Amino acid sequence: MALIIVIFHSAIRNFGMGPLFVLMGSMQFFLIILTSSVYNLYFDKYIFSPGSSVLFTSTLFCILLVFHTESIKKVRSLIYGLLLSNIAITLLCYISLQQIYLDNKSYNVEFIKNIFNHDTDLFLLGTCLLYLDSIFLIILYELMNYKFKNKFLFLKILLPTSLVCLFDSVVYYSLNNFSDDIYLDLIIGNVIGKQITVVFFSVTIYLYLNIIGKKHRFTHPKKIKDVLKIFSF
């Protein structure tokens, strides 16, 4: 995922933002399937979903990368594009599922039901959290830019995404799985999985920005008020 994102981002000069935006929008359906149905066990105890740990985290890194190298208008377009694509996917899955329930003659109906029959409330919760995560991520990143200017690029990538992923893991599973017996295992597993992914993506994005010569942003917030302009989203 890290390699795919940097390849598509590097193609912006030749093809514009479209391919990268389409990539991230299309990945949302893949994210839904993995998050709702695929969980892995590691250390013989902790459970994590590759959809949440890898694909969701990669979405945040893509947002941060676009914000670092492009204008705020473009990252706003990406965020709202992801939100609208998530809502559209949910609506289409619901309509398709209702049609499948009315059609008992289709081949592999049960398999298709399992794909489309994800928890709508759960997915809408994830969509709302994606919006909040994106805002928090940009604000934290801009605060570090305000404080450190052109220094500590790796930490400016690592710390905001690490904190936002921690926030997302705790809130998501607290709202959805608080009463489950494996509640703590789910949170711990998700936190560990995301933090490992954060480190890997941070290293990849940091090396990529150094290679293409965009280590520093062209503009930095001069006042705290400039950071808070993010709420214009």
Side-chain angles (χ1 to χ4, degrees):
M1 275 307 302
L3 183 61
I4 289 173
I5 288 174
V6 297
I7 289 174
F8 274 70
H9 184 273
S10 65
I12 288 176
R13 179 177 298 179
N14 296 321
F15 302 106
M17 301 295 297
L20 181 63
F21 284 13
V22 171
L23 168 70
M24 299 315 299
S26 61
M27 290 304 298
Q28 300 308 299
F29 185 65
F30 194 37
L31 188 157
I32 295 169
I33 295 174
L34 290 179
T35 303
S36 61
S37 59
V38 179
Y39 282 82
N40 299 113
L41 183 70
Y42 63 92
F43 299 139
D44 295 325
K45 181 177 182 181
Y46 300 118
I47 303 171
F48 79 102
S49 167
S52 177
S53 298
V54 179
L55 295 185
F56 185 83
T57 306
S58 70
T59 301
L60 295 179
F61 270 96
C62 185
I63 290 171
L64 183 61
L65 181 59
V66 171
F67 182 65
H68 178 87
T69 59
E70 310 298 327
S71 66
I72 192 171
K73 289 184 179 179
K74 290 184 179 180
V75 77
R76 181 168 57 192
S77 298
L78 174 58
I79 292 172
Y80 280 117
L82 290 172
L83 295 177
L84 291 174
S85 66
N86 283 349
I87 294 172
I89 289 172
T90 302
L91 179 62
L92 290 173
C93 284
Y94 176 79
I95 293 173
S96 300
L97 191 61
Q98 298 309 310
Q99 292 176 330
I100 290 169
Y101 282 139
L102 296 174
D103 182 8
N104 295 321
K105 298 180 181 180
S106 295
Y107 180 69
N108 274 342
V109 170
E110 292 302 320
F111 173 73
I112 298 174
K113 283 181 182 178
N114 291 332
I115 294 178
F116 289 141
N117 191 23
H118 60 270
D119 192 330
T120 302
D121 293 338
L122 189 63
F123 184 59
L124 291 178
L125 169 63
T127 301
C128 293
L129 276 176
L130 173 61
Y131 178 74
L132 292 177
D133 290 342
S134 302
I135 299 298
F136 292 158
L137 177 63
I138 294 174
I139 289 175
L140 290 172
Y141 182 73
E142 280 291 77
L143 283 173
M144 293 195 70
N145 267 326
Y146 170 73
K147 183 69 175 177
F148 300 112
K149 296 297 186 290
N150 291 329
K151 301 177 181 178
F152 310 120
L153 174 60
F154 180 73
L155 290 180
K156 286 192 288 188
I157 296 172
L158 177 68
L159 291 181
T161 47
S162 178
L163 291 174
V164 169
C165 285
L166 178 61
F167 164 81
D168 182 85
S169 297
V170 173
V171 173
Y172 182 83
Y173 284 102
S174 294
L175 292 177
N176 185 61
N177 301 95
F178 184 75
S179 59
D180 292 355
D181 294 335
I182 58 172
Y183 164 68
L184 288 178
D185 291 339
L186 284 171
I187 283 190
I188 294 173
N190 193 261
V191 167
I192 294 174
K194 280 184 177 176
Q195 295 305 316
I196 292 173
T197 306
V198 163
V199 173
F200 186 85
F201 268 96
S202 296
V203 172
T204 305
I205 299 300
Y206 174 76
L207 293 175
Y208 168 68
L209 290 174
N210 276 271
I211 291 172
I212 66 172
K214 289 191 177 182
K215 293 171 60 177
H216 309 305
R217 295 199 70 209
F218 295 111
T219 59
H220 299 279
K222 297 178 181 178
K223 303 176 182 178
I224 291 295
K225 184 186 297 185
D226 295 334
V227 176
L228 298 179
K229 285 181 180 178
I230 302 301
F231 284 108
S232 62
F233 273 41

